[in-house]
Amino acid sequence: MKLSALLTPERVLLDVKEKNKMTLLSLMTSHLAALGGVADPTVLDREIKEREELGNTGIGRGVGFPHAKSTQVKEIMVLLARPAKPIEYGAIDNTPVSIVLMIVAPADGDNNEYLHTMARISRLLGKNEVRQKILAATSPQEVVDIVKAFEA
Amino acid sequence: MTALATIVLHLDLTPESQRALQRAIHLSLLSGATIIAVNVVNRHVVTQLARTGAKSLAEIEIELEENGWRYLYAAEEEAKNAGARIVVLQETGYPEEVIPRIAAEKHADLVIVAYGQRARSDITAIRSAEQIFEHAPCDVLVVK
């Protein structure tokens, strides 16, 4: 599944004021829940953070990619956040994170689809040109359009 | 062997590398070490595949990158489900350069590599493995 099939302007948060990784993750799960489709946001928040505790999801080059399979959702959901200032994320390359893409998938869903979607997103956000355009975007719709253009 | 804090695991998408993952998870659970699982989009392989002419260089790289990430996330899921600590990393280059460099940068206590039948019959893979053994800054566990 392509990121552009999952990402809508409502699922893009620009210039988020949070300065702390864990509070940013909580904000993101709350926002996902507000959009609907999350049974219990508190449980989802805990699941995301438990996975994060077992291994940092900063994949380098300023990208955080928190992810989890959860009983709290029935379909794959994403949310992209761009902090107002890069935040310390503890990423593998020690680079502060400027783009955070959260993905959650049903615990009993198609694992291959989940892994394939994550792989596509990782490759997409690994491109310097994509990251630069997302960082320069002035609206959520522009971010969606950038993703669509690069996945076309 | 001293206490393990960091294990660099080279995942190369071979069946042996799946066994290497099992070893890494086992050692991580015993010691509390963090596994740094690394897939290298191998320029040797890209060049070899490009010579066949079946796909363009860009197509080959996209395929290898996506397969690599998928494999890494599957490994991550397996490790985390077992309760092991793991982070994943993908780089493009030559394994014989990337793996020792990451092991040095992350102060690894152990490098785990798969070295299966296919690798042992390919001169490029043999040289690559030998250089990893030679240049790793710590012990290397070879999974055959």
Side-chain angles (χ1 to χ4, degrees):
Chain A
M1 189 180 284
K2 290 182 176 180
L3 177 58
S4 51
L6 299 165
L7 196 67
T8 58
E10 296 76 32
R11 296 179 184 278
V12 177
L13 305 176
L14 297 184
D15 302 325
V16 177
K17 298 288 186 286
E18 299 294 333
K19 295 175 182 170
N20 174 279
K21 173 184 171 181
M22 289 304 180
T23 56
L24 175 63
L25 295 182
S26 292
L27 175 84
M28 292 178 77
T29 49
S30 297
H31 195 83
L32 262 185
L35 292 169
V38 178
D40 186 337
T42 309
V43 175
L44 178 62
D45 188 49
R46 190 180 67 233
E47 288 172 338
I48 289 273
K49 288 176 179 171
E50 281 174 355
R51 299 301 272 190
E52 196 67 31
E53 288 292 321
L54 280 173
N56 195 291
T57 57
I59 57 173
R61 303 183 178 97
V63 176
F65 192 29
H67 51 271
K69 291 172 80 175
S70 172
T71 54
Q72 303 306 308
V73 300
K74 294 199 180 309
E75 58 187 22
I76 295 180
M77 302 167 78
V78 299
L79 186 80
L80 187 149
R82 189 183 72 186
K85 291 183 178 173
I87 61 168
E88 290 303 326
Y89 200 89
I92 184 83
D93 63 352
N94 300 317
T95 304
V97 157
S98 310
I99 298 169
V100 182
L101 194 293
M102 178 181 283
I103 179 167
V104 290
D108 58 355
D110 182 340
N111 199 42
N112 276 335
E113 183 181 37
Y114 173 57
L115 294 173
H116 195 201
T117 302
M118 292 211 301
R120 290 185 76 116
I121 292 172
S122 298
R123 194 180 64 77
L124 182 75
L125 295 178
K127 290 180 183 174
N128 185 47
E129 196 180 355
V130 175
R131 293 193 308 277
Q132 292 309 315
K133 284 186 181 294
I134 290 174
L135 292 177
T138 55
S139 70
Q141 183 62 56
E142 195 179 338
V143 172
V144 172
D145 292 342
I146 291 163
V147 169
K148 275 186 185 159
F150 277 94
E151 284 190 327
Chain B
M1 188 182 290
T2 54
L4 297 177
T6 305
I7 298 168
V8 167
L9 167 67
H10 179 209
L11 287 178
D12 63 3
L13 287 67
T14 61
E16 294 78 18
S17 116
Q18 181 60 30
R19 287 210 301 281
L21 170 65
Q22 298 306 320
R23 292 296 181 95
I25 291 172
H26 180 68
L27 289 170
S28 169
L29 292 174
L30 285 176
S31 63
T34 296
I35 303 164
I36 300 176
V38 184
N39 176 63
V40 182
V41 178
N42 190 333
R43 288 200 194 281
H44 295 305
V45 175
V46 173
T47 306
Q48 282 170 4
L49 292 175
R51 281 195 194 117
T52 67
K55 291 177 183 170
S56 71
L57 207 60
E59 286 172 326
I60 293 165
E61 283 184 349
I62 288 170
E63 193 174 314
L64 291 179
E65 280 180 27
E66 286 198 3
N67 284 342
W69 278 119
R70 199 165 49 197
Y71 199 84
L72 283 170
Y73 287 126
E76 182 198 58
E77 191 175 349
E78 192 170 339
K80 287 187 175 180
N81 285 346
R85 302 177 67 81
I86 184 170
V87 293
V88 298
L89 176 64
Q90 178 158 264
E91 290 206 13
T92 298
Y94 299 103
E96 62 270 29
E97 293 174 1
V98 173
I99 299 300
R101 175 174 54 75
I102 291 172
E105 285 174 0
K106 300 300 173 189
H107 307 290
D109 305 294
L110 182 68
V111 169
I112 302 181
V113 295
Y115 192 45
Q117 188 67 42
R118 198 179 65 185
R120 297 200 301 275
S121 60
D122 176 344
I123 189 66
T124 307
I126 292 169
R127 286 182 182 149
S128 175
E130 283 175 351
Q131 288 187 53
I132 291 174
F133 305 156
E134 178 68 22
H135 298 295
C138 57
D139 290 342
V140 179
L141 172 62
V142 178
V143 178
K144 294 172 75 175

